[in-house]
Amino acid sequence: MTSPAHIYRPAVLTLASGILTAGLFFANTLGMAHAQPGANTTPENAVERSYGRGWDCSPGFQVKEDGCVKVVAPDNGYLTGSLSGTQWNCQIGYQKAQDSCVSIDLPDNAYLTNKSYNKGWECDRGYRQSGNTCAAIVLPDNAYLTNASFGTGWKCERGYNESADGCAALTPPDNATLTGTSYGRGWECMRGYRRTGESCAPIQVPTNGYATDTSYGPGWQCDRGYQSNDDRCDAVKLPANANLDYSGNNWECSPPYLRENDQCALTR
């Protein structure tokens, strides 16, 4: 009679053999996966990213398939060192045309620039771009050229204002002086006068006050020791243990006194 041990021993050996076979197959499969060429590797002329996964091509190289190929600038071009875009640009005097750099057709009265937002050239001072040419700026009498690339290209001289016909002479009212500013009427009222329409009216300065040069406010200020009260200057009334403040038109308590209402009191 066959013992139980003889019955179960072949089954156990068969099971162990199957487990070993499956383990070896799994190990071989895993080894093959790690051995695949190019998996999780950084190609030549590339650097690993400092964050996340993956890599980027080094400056002067660009991605092609699974690697990095050298960027070659066309004739009359140079490498920019950028990691994006075409990575090359054209020299001054040339502009991009697909994969090459073609010569710029420079018009008369213009000079070459390296600005990428223009056509590669700008007009000389005294000329203004008109299509692909530089047209001379017509300067009216009593005007001078500016360096601005916008507007008329000129401004009126001091004492003149821009008009439909060019620069018209200014006639300031009485008690006014010409200004050199490009805004306003070209004139301003003298000290002690305030603009009223197209004229300069005298400012009524109260007693113990003086006229100021500011164009805002009443046009006057009280002398030191006085403070404004509507249209007059009243003397500053100093309580005990007080003195005039930095403005001279109000008061503050002398240390160690502190202001309480309109008096100066010692703190407890």
Side-chain angles (χ1 to χ4, degrees), residues 2-150:
T2 304
S3 65
H6 289 91
I7 296 175
Y8 292 113
R9 186 176 295 116
V12 171
L13 291 175
T14 302
L15 179 61
S17 176
I19 293 174
L20 179 60
T21 302
L24 291 174
F25 175 79
F26 178 76
N28 290 334
T29 303
L30 185 62
M32 291 175 61
H34 283 296
Q36 287 180 357
N40 297 323
T41 59
T42 302
E44 190 176 0
N45 301 314
V47 292
E48 293 184 3
R49 292 174 180 169
S50 57
Y51 58 91
R53 301 180 61 186
W55 47 266
D56 293 308
C57 291
S58 302
F61 295 84
Q62 61 185 0
V63 177
K64 185 175 182 181
E65 297 178 353
D66 294 331
C68 295
V69 296
K70 187 175 182 179
V71 178
V72 179
D75 293 340
N76 304 308
Y78 61 93
L79 297 180
T80 62
S82 173
L83 296 178
S84 60
T86 58
Q87 301 189 41
W88 58 267
N89 209 345
C90 294
Q91 299 174 359
I92 294 179
Y94 296 84
Q95 59 185 357
K96 288 183 178 181
Q98 295 182 349
D99 294 330
S100 62
C101 292
V102 297
S103 178
I104 292 175
D105 186 11
L106 186 67
D108 294 336
N109 305 306
Y111 60 93
L112 294 171
T113 69
N114 60 352
K115 296 179 180 178
S116 59
Y117 57 82
N118 210 325
K119 297 181 179 180
W121 54 266
E122 289 185 359
C123 295
D124 295 334
R125 187 171 182 268
Y127 293 83
R128 182 59 51 83
Q129 183 173 330
S130 177
N132 292 321
T133 63
C134 291
I137 295 174
V138 179
L139 192 67
D141 295 337
N142 305 306
Y144 61 91
L145 291 171
T146 66
N147 293 321
S149 58
F150 53 87

Side-chain angles (χ1 to χ4, degrees), residues 161-189:
N161 261 0
E162 188 173 339
S163 65
D165 298 327
C167 293
L170 289 172
T171 305
D174 295 338
N175 304 307
T177 57
L178 293 172
T179 65
T181 58
S182 58
Y183 55 86
R185 295 178 173 86
W187 56 266
E188 60 183 14
C189 294

Side-chain angles (χ1 to χ4, degrees), residues 218-241:
W220 55 267
Q221 188 172 333
C222 294
D223 294 332
R224 180 175 175 81
Y226 294 84
Q227 58 186 180
S228 61
N229 186 3
D230 293 332
D231 57 354
R232 66 180 188 271
C233 290
D234 295 338
V236 177
K237 295 180 180 180
L238 295 177
N241 304 308

